[in-house]
Amino acid sequence: MAGRTSPSKIYLDVVESLRSMIEADSLLPGDKIPSERELSDRFNVGRSSVREALRALELLGLIETRRGEGTFIRDFQEHKLVELLGTFFLQDKKVQEDLAETKRLIEIDCLRIVAFFATAEDIKRLMAWVKADMFHDDDFFLRIAILNRNRLLERIWRIVNSYARTSEMVQGNVKKEDYLALLTYLLERDEEKAIETYLIRIRNMSKGE
């Protein structure tokens, strides 16, 4: 028996291989993953080990099997453990404040990435959407998070935002012109002005905060 890999170790290796595959293939929520047979061939392990790994991920709410269709990645926001922890954490006022601050920091990072890497066409499409529609602040920054090329940052924003929702429809102190000004600076690749506009005109913070 010496030298043999234990079944539990194989199963954990398959889980890690699945995680690496999802990242390498840039799979997103709603995307279909290969069949058990294809995964077995790809990872060079038995189908029973693949089946156990898939079952564990499904129990965690990270994937779902649809009869007759296959297995799909679920929206990370739907992860039940995350929801449970979120409910617990939000009983603490300090954590609520930290969530709001964390959301701002993530949004700033997304803006920096968009300023450097988004195409002019992508930014112009977002500007056209702002001009055409009424929207929530969350809707705007979801699009910014999607436009940034860091998929992990986008997923973290989605989770933090689901517990830090304070937005209203675009009205009152924050106007469409404020979002358009932000996008204009992004289009001009002026990161400093974009972040200043975000903090002062959209998040209503003074320079000293």
Side-chain angles (χ1 to χ4, degrees):
M1 299 291 288
R4 292 184 61 185
T5 304
S6 68
S8 61
K9 179 64 166 61
I10 295 174
Y11 145 74
L12 291 174
D13 286 345
V14 173
V15 171
E16 176 60 24
S17 295
L18 281 166
R19 186 200 63 77
S20 298
M21 180 199 74
I22 289 170
E23 180 178 321
D25 294 354
S26 300
L27 299 180
L28 298 172
D31 289 344
K32 185 177 181 180
I33 66 174
S35 67
E36 282 184 12
R37 180 179 59 78
E38 292 170 321
L39 291 172
S40 176
D41 292 341
R42 181 166 177 168
F43 301 148
N44 195 29
V45 296
R47 290 184 65 174
S48 60
S49 296
V50 171
R51 193 174 301 117
E52 286 300 312
L54 292 175
R55 184 177 297 123
L57 294 176
E58 188 163 22
L59 287 172
L60 287 171
L62 299 177
I63 62 173
E64 63 176 334
T65 300
R66 303 173 192 169
R67 188 180 298 276
E69 297 183 50
T71 303
F72 298 81
I73 299 174
R74 293 186 67 180
D75 189 331
F76 197 52
Q77 288 188 84
E78 294 177 13
H79 190 287
K80 300 305 179 186
L81 180 58
V82 172
E83 291 180 0
L84 180 61
L85 289 174
T87 302
F88 172 75
F89 287 147
L90 289 182
Q91 295 176 13
D92 187 324
K93 184 178 179 181
K94 179 62 168 63
V95 172
Q96 293 179 40
E97 295 171 355
D98 289 346
L99 277 168
E101 181 180 22
T102 300
K103 181 183 175 185
R104 287 195 299 272
L105 293 172
I106 294 170
E107 289 172 350
I108 288 171
D109 281 339
C110 286
L111 290 171
R112 286 196 173 106
I113 294 172
V114 169
F116 275 97
F117 297 107
T119 67
E121 289 72 21
D122 284 336
I123 298 173
K124 287 177 181 177
R125 277 194 292 270
L126 189 49
M127 293 176 81
W129 171 77
V130 168
K131 291 175 182 177
D133 293 329
M134 181 60 70
F135 55 91
H136 286 275
D137 183 83
D138 285 349
D139 298 330
F140 178 84
F141 282 100
L142 172 59
R143 290 174 184 251
I144 291 290
I146 292 172
L147 193 55
N148 111 87
R149 68 178 192 173
N150 187 318
R151 298 280 68 82
L152 180 58
L153 202 59
E154 174 197 336
R155 293 183 186 187
I156 294 173
W157 181 89
R158 288 176 183 269
I159 294 167
V160 171
N161 181 66
S162 67
Y163 299 116
R165 294 189 179 189
T166 57
S167 68
E168 300 292 339
M169 292 294 284
V170 176
Q171 58 186 359
N173 292 331
V174 185
K175 300 179 175 61
K176 283 192 176 189
E177 288 73 18
D178 298 320
Y179 294 94
L180 289 171
L182 170 60
L183 291 171
T184 298
Y185 288 126
L186 291 178
L187 188 61
E188 295 171 352
R189 312 302 177 184
D190 192 334
E191 175 191 331
E192 184 177 346
K193 283 291 187 182
I195 292 174
E196 181 179 301
T197 300
Y198 165 80
L199 291 172
I200 297 175
R201 294 177 61 174
I202 294 178
R203 291 294 173 251
N204 297 311
M205 299 176 68
S206 66
K207 288 186 177 181
E209 289 184 279

